[in-house]
């Protein structure tokens, strides 16, 4: 059926579908069963969430487990906010224990599929049992409330078990994406002074084994705070040979054979209630300096945020099989694979490997085989699917799908329409969700049953989100006028600080526009109150949905002995959204050739990870700078994008011939 309120149907050409005012009403069969069905319901709850925030959040969190209720909903001393003040809770009781006395007990919590094709299902009963078992052993390894535990794993049920076991003990987990290099892992471990590292021997990726333990060994060799390394065995010794260091390393399975102490078992079985603001996790993300930011999230507000957003945005029902394809190493995995869905008793599909292994039909085959009902993925993946051709999804029965989601970067209307037509068969609403590592939970989206969607727009603010588009002075922009995306008031799931760097928390988010949270994104709000996010307007790039700081790339490049200076910029890219282009000046005596380009690419692999490898390395005799010595990135962005005329003001440029040379170097 057609769900276009403006009369769309399958035979329309793409162009007519892309009209600015194109909108798609939620399909009636979807709305019929949806938790929220009308715009009026959204308006009522949104109004309540702003005007009677305490009542809203109290009512919306009655199904969560608090060992002690809160005394006060919010305390705000800019830029610090506390929520659910005075409450005590153990977040894992909301995600696990509460389901043991309901129908969810025997429901699948995690349906896992490995890249080679094997599957495993853990019910809520089993997931709870595994978390308790592992938490007891972690306690005996000396993990105490407030300790930091690093997790460097791929997509396994055990990754969620490890996270939840930490949370159960009140330890702060810091998950490091398995695509990061040993050096990047080392820096993240050292920054938070983790005591224990949990990893696995190897992980499957596109038919290859990623030797996680080997990289962990290299990292831990320079991480003096790590006392113990727990290793989950995913591979065989032949596939991923591992050296275990006596006294430091222990196999996960061997650890489980130890009889836990009574005290440890008690802590795991009857978990302690922690303060609402007890730190839950640190997640490192890129900012505009070379040093990643340790975004710190706490307990009650974060749980409330991810719980309520999961419930309404994904319209989760016990009959759903929900699949978020993000990696657990990023915030999407934390909020919308682990804490949000589990706190709702949802069944989640977790997939270990690549979307095109063994062929580009893998996702669609899995959807057919498991009967996935909700798919939450990223525009970069959607663009890759488009490139691989409609034949792949068309080979499979996708009729189980009822809702589609997008996250991580702006989705171009062409990709949106394809997703809606080829994957959703025009039966499924699309929720385009805008949020950030720092926001913890979804901030902008259309709710699937209440509003029409517009391809490319992230829709309306979620409950409790006081968001705006402003000019520099902080004045709200008119409808359709571009400006900076800011948030006027704190919200429950917001990051509380940057780990051990509160000054940077203030300066990065709260001082650029005094008194409000600056997102780093540019946006506009249209005449219907829908937001259109353009992308980052700071020195952060979004390459294939991965957030990469230009300064991080630059400092990695200048750490190479041949490099004198480097500048990294983004360039529009059809597949990745943005591609990473680096301009490099070499030290004298070094040769600017293909060999050097390769060496610099490999250097980035080592320093950060393969996902951050530049798409293009360009050598230059000099970089364009202002008279005060600042690299003029705006000009480099133009050069990278192939803009030939110098745009804007170049009067402060030190030497115009530098620019002319760079243009001449274009490939
Ligand atoms: O630029 C925005 C973009 O991703 C940034 C946040 O990146 P990260 O912290 O890694 O979190 C990604 C997953 C939540 C934002 O500042 N972004 C995220 N979602 C969208 C988006 N841009 C446009 N539309 C979205 N739906």
């Amino acid at each position: 059926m057609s769900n276009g309120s403006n009369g769309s149907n399958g035979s329309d050409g793409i162009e007519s579908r892309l009209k600015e005012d194109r909108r798609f009403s939620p399909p009636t069969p979807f709305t019929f069963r949806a938790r929220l069905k009308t715009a009026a319901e959204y308006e009522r709850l949104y109004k309540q969430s702003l005007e009677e925030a305490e009542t809203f959040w109290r009512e919306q969190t009655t199904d969560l487990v608090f060992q002690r209720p809160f005394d006060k909903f919010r305390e705000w001393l800019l830029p610090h906010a506390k929520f659910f003040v005075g409450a005590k809770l153990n977040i894992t009781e909301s995600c696990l224990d509460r389901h043991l006395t309901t129908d969810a007990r025997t429901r699948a919590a995690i349906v896992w599929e490995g890249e080679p094709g094997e599957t495993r299902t853990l019910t809520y009963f089993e997931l709870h049992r595994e978390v308790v078992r592992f938490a007891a052993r972690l306690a005996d390894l000396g993990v105490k409330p407030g300790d930091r535990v690093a997790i460097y794993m791929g997509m396994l049920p055990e990754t969620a078990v490890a996270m939840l076991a930490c949370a159960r003990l009140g330890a702060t987990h810091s998950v490091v994406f398995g695509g990061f290099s040993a050096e990047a892992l080392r820096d993240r471990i050292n920054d938070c002074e983790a005591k224990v590292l949990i990893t696995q021997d190897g992980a499957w990726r596109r038919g290859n084994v990623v030797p996680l333990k080997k990289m962990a060994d290299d990292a831990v060799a320079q991480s003096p705070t790590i006392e113990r390394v727990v290793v989950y065995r995913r591979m065989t010794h032949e596939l991923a040979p591992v050296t275990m260091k006596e006294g430091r390393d222990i196999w996960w399975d061997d650890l489980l054979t130890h009889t836990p102490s009574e005290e440890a078992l008690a802590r795991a079985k009857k978990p302690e209630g922690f303060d609402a603001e007890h730190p839950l996790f640190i997640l490192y993300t890129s900012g505009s300096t070379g040093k990643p930011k340790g975004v710190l999230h706490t307990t009650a507000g974060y749980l409330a945020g991810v719980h309520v957003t999961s419930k309404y945005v994904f319209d989760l029902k016990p009959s759903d099989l929900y699949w978020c394809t993000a990696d657990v190493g990023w915030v999407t995995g934390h909020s919308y694979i682990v804490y949000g869905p589990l706190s709702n008793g949802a069944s989640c599909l977790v997939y270990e490997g690549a979307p095109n292994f063994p062929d580009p039909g893998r996702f669609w085959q899995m959807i057919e085989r498991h009967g996935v009902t909700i798919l939450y993925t990223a525009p970069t993946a959607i663009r890759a699917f488009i490139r691989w051709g409609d034949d792949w999804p068309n080979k499979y029965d996708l009729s189980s799908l009822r809702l589609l989601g997008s996250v991580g970067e702006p989705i171009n209307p062409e990709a949106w329409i394809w997703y809606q037509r080829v994957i959703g068969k025009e039966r499924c609403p699309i929720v385009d969700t805008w949020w950030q590592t720092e926001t913890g939970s979804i901030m902008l989206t259309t709710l699937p049953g209440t509003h029409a969607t517009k391809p490319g727009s992230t829709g309306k603010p979620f409950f409790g989100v006081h968001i705006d588009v402003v000019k520099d002075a902080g004045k709200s922009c008119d409808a359709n006028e571009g400006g900076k995306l800011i948030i006027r008031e704190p919200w429950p799931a917001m990051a509380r600080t940057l780990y051990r760097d509160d000054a940077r928390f203030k300066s990065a988010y709260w001082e650029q526009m005094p008194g409000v949270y600056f997102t780093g994104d540019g946006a506009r709000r249209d005449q219907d109150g829908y937001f259109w996010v353009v992308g980052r307007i700071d020195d952060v790039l979004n390459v294939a949905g991965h957030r990469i700081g230009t300064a991080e790339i630059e400092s990695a490049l200048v750490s190479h002995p041949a490099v004198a200076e480097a500048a990294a910029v983004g360039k529009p890219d059809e597949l990745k959204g943005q591609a990473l282009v680096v301009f490099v000046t070499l030290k004298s005596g070094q040769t600017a050739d293909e060999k050097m380009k390769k060496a610099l690419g490999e250097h980035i692999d080592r320093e950060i990870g393969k996902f951050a490898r530049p798409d293009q390395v360009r050598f230059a005799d000099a970089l364009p700078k202002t008279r005060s010595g600042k690299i003029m990135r705006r000009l480099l962005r133009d050069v990278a994008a192939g803009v030939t005329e110098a745009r804007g003001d170049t009067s402060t440029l030190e030497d115009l011939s530098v620019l002319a040379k760079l243009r001449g170097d274009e490939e």
Side-chain angles (χ1 to χ4, degrees):
M1 71 162 270
S2 155
N3 62 357
S5 62
N6 291 352
S8 91
N9 60 50
S11 61
D12 270 3
I14 285 267
E15 253 146 60
S16 72
R17 289 154 183 271
L18 293 181
K19 280 188 209 138
E20 251 294 281
D21 63 349
R22 201 79 198 157
R23 56 178 75 202
F24 296 88
S25 296
T28 314
F30 183 93
T31 306
F32 187 70
R33 292 189 58 217
R35 188 169 261 114
L36 295 182
K37 304 180 199 311
T38 62
E41 280 178 279
Y42 162 84
E43 294 299 345
R44 184 184 65 76
L45 282 169
Y46 183 64
K47 189 163 181 281
Q48 186 198 33
S49 72
L50 294 189
E51 292 172 8
E52 299 161 69
E54 177 164 339
T55 311
F56 173 86
W57 287 100
R58 194 185 291 281
E59 286 177 3
Q60 296 296 331
T61 53
T62 47
D63 50 348
L64 298 177
V65 184
F66 286 92
Q67 292 186 11
R68 184 188 185 284
F70 65 89
D71 303 314
K72 199 172 165 197
F73 172 63
R74 184 178 92 174
E75 256 175 38
W76 183 17
L77 198 63
L78 198 101
H80 296 290
K82 291 181 177 175
F83 285 87
F84 302 93
V85 182
K88 292 234 178 294
L89 73 160
N90 189 292
I91 192 169
T92 65
E93 288 189 294
S94 289
C95 295
L96 302 169
D97 304 60
R98 84 177 184 95
H99 304 308
L100 300 184
T101 51
T102 71
D103 290 350
R105 184 175 179 278
T106 48
R107 187 185 303 152
I110 295 177
V111 179
W112 175 80
E113 181 161 316
E115 196 182 71
E118 70 274 53
T119 57
R120 262 163 71 198
T121 298
L122 274 90
T123 62
Y124 273 93
F125 169 78
E126 289 165 330
L127 183 62
H128 171 267
R129 186 190 60 202
E130 293 310 307
V131 170
V132 169
R133 286 176 77 205
F134 191 61
R137 274 62 175 197
L138 275 187
D140 273 338
L141 287 185
V143 173
K144 292 189 292 301
D147 284 348
R148 273 81 56 215
V149 174
I151 300 175
Y152 185 55
M153 297 178 78
M155 296 291 286
L156 298 177
E158 282 68 24
T159 316
V161 171
M163 292 163 75
L164 291 161
C166 289
R168 199 146 177 102
L169 299 175
T172 308
H173 58 70
S174 169
V175 181
V176 179
F177 170 53
F180 275 115
S181 66
E183 273 76 359
L185 173 64
R186 174 201 62 200
D187 293 346
R188 283 156 180 75
I189 291 175
N190 290 345
D191 188 77
C192 72
E193 299 180 307
K195 188 171 177 178
V196 170
L197 169 65
I198 306 171
T199 187
Q200 63 189 78
D201 47 1
W204 286 113
R205 188 74 195 171
R206 210 163 281 121
N208 297 313
V209 178
V210 184
L212 291 177
K213 169 66 163 73
K214 203 170 160 303
M215 298 205 278
D217 285 340
D218 293 346
V220 174
Q222 295 173 58
S223 297
T225 56
I226 293 288
E227 294 168 13
R228 305 301 301 257
V229 178
V230 181
V231 189
Y232 181 77
R233 193 194 287 282
R234 163 74 182 110
M235 300 285 160
T236 58
H237 185 71
E238 289 66 39
L239 284 168
V242 159
T243 325
M244 299 293 278
K245 187 168 173 197
E246 184 80 36
R248 185 195 70 183
D249 300 354
I250 181 157
W251 289 105
W252 177 297
D253 283 344
D254 291 345
L255 185 64
L256 289 184
T257 62
H258 293 188
T259 309
S261 68
E262 253 173 57
E263 193 235 324
L265 200 57
R267 276 174 63 200
K269 277 192 163 162
K270 227 183 154 318
E272 186 178 343
F274 297 102
D275 188 86
E277 292 300 330
H278 187 76
L280 176 65
F281 67 85
I282 300 168
L283 188 57
Y284 287 88
T285 190
S286 296
S288 46
T289 74
K291 193 174 173 291
K293 306 191 267 200
V295 173
L296 182 85
H297 281 285
T298 59
T299 306
Y302 175 79
L303 172 64
V306 297
H307 179 69
V308 176
T309 46
S310 298
K311 187 189 297 185
Y312 288 111
V313 178
F314 301 116
D315 193 48
L316 289 171
K317 304 257 167 47
S319 54
D320 279 315
L321 181 62
Y322 158 89
W323 184 14
C324 167
T325 69
D327 192 281
V328 76
W330 307 108
V331 75
T332 309
H334 285 59
S335 299
Y336 297 111
I337 296 179
V338 181
Y339 293 107
L342 297 182
S343 73
N344 281 288
S347 297
C348 308
L349 182 66
V350 172
Y351 170 53
E352 181 185 36
N356 56 350
F357 187 87
D359 64 45
R362 182 62 181 263
F363 270 26
W364 321 121
Q365 188 224 28
M366 283 177 62
I367 288 172
E368 175 182 292
R369 202 153 25 80
H370 293 282
V372 172
T373 57
I374 303 169
L375 175 68
Y376 188 35
T377 193
T380 190
I382 297 168
R383 291 191 294 265
F385 295 137
I386 295 175
R387 188 171 281 195
W388 294 331
D390 295 9
D391 286 352
W392 290 107
N394 287 345
K395 273 195 354 205
Y396 298 96
D397 176 6
L398 305 180
S399 61
S400 58
L401 287 171
R402 67 180 193 94
L403 175 62
L404 303 174
S406 173
V407 61
E409 50 182 316
I411 181 164
N412 45 314
E414 295 82 350
W416 194 103
I417 295 285
W418 183 89
Y419 196 28
Q420 190 240 18
R421 186 171 51 84
V422 180
I423 306 307
K425 313 287 183 208
E426 302 189 334
R427 289 181 298 101
C428 306
I430 296 182
V431 288
D432 179 0
T433 63
W434 177 90
W435 58 295
Q436 309 178 296
T437 306
E438 294 86 343
T439 70
S441 59
I442 292 167
M443 306 298 273
L444 287 173
T445 188
T446 44
L447 291 181
T450 67
H451 284 88
T453 43
K454 303 186 187 189
S457 164
T458 52
K460 301 223 165 198
F462 188 75
F463 305 135
V465 178
H466 196 164
I467 194 161
D468 202 356
V469 180
V470 298
K471 284 285 177 206
D472 282 325
K475 184 185 157 295
S476 295
C477 289
D478 294 333
N480 291 312
E481 188 188 0
K484 295 176 176 168
L485 188 66
I486 57 119
I487 304 167
R488 294 207 177 274
E489 284 189 32
W491 59 100
M494 91 176 193
R496 297 302 194 256
T497 189
L498 296 178
Y499 192 67
R500 290 190 182 153
D501 200 354
D502 199 48
R504 192 172 174 199
F505 178 67
K506 286 185 192 147
S507 64
Y509 306 110
W510 297 93
E511 281 172 358
Q512 308 212 12
M513 241 163 300
V516 300
Y517 172 89
F518 176 47
T519 63
D521 279 1
R524 71 182 165 91
R525 180 174 30 202
D526 71 15
Q527 64 288 351
D528 302 320
Y530 282 53
F531 285 76
W532 298 74
V533 176
V534 197
R536 306 290 307 197
I537 48 176
D538 54 7
D539 290 329
V540 173
L541 303 179
N542 196 327
V543 178
H546 293 309
R547 184 163 154 180
I548 299 176
T550 51
E552 232 173 299
I553 299 285
E554 289 161 9
S555 66
L557 281 170
V558 295
S559 74
H560 189 281
V563 175
E565 219 172 14
V569 296
K571 158 185 165 177
D573 183 89
E574 218 179 280
L575 196 62
K576 296 175 155 193
Q578 277 188 304
L580 176 60
V581 179
V582 297
F583 293 87
V584 175
T585 60
L586 295 175
K587 289 184 183 155
S588 62
Q590 300 292 339
T591 321
D593 57 9
E594 286 305 315
K595 218 170 116 205
M596 180 63 78
K597 283 187 184 175
K598 189 159 170 273
L600 295 180
E602 286 165 0
H603 183 67
I604 295 286
D605 292 355
R606 264 193 313 277
E607 291 288 311
I608 302 176
K610 284 201 172 70
F611 70 92
R613 187 187 262 232
D615 297 278
Q616 216 182 74
V617 178
R618 294 175 65 162
F619 295 112
D621 294 337
L623 297 177
K625 291 197 190 139
T626 61
R627 290 196 186 104
S628 59
K630 231 177 141 250
I631 294 174
M632 294 184 88
R633 292 167 188 290
R634 177 175 53 81
L635 295 181
L636 289 176
R637 273 197 292 270
D638 281 352
V639 172
V643 177
T644 44
E645 283 308 303
R647 280 197 303 206
D649 183 16
T650 52
S651 58
T652 53
L653 188 65
E654 194 189 31
D655 178 1
L656 266 173
S657 66
V658 163
L659 200 56
K661 272 213 181 121
L662 283 173
R663 293 213 184 92
D665 173 53
E666 225 156 279
E667 286 169 19

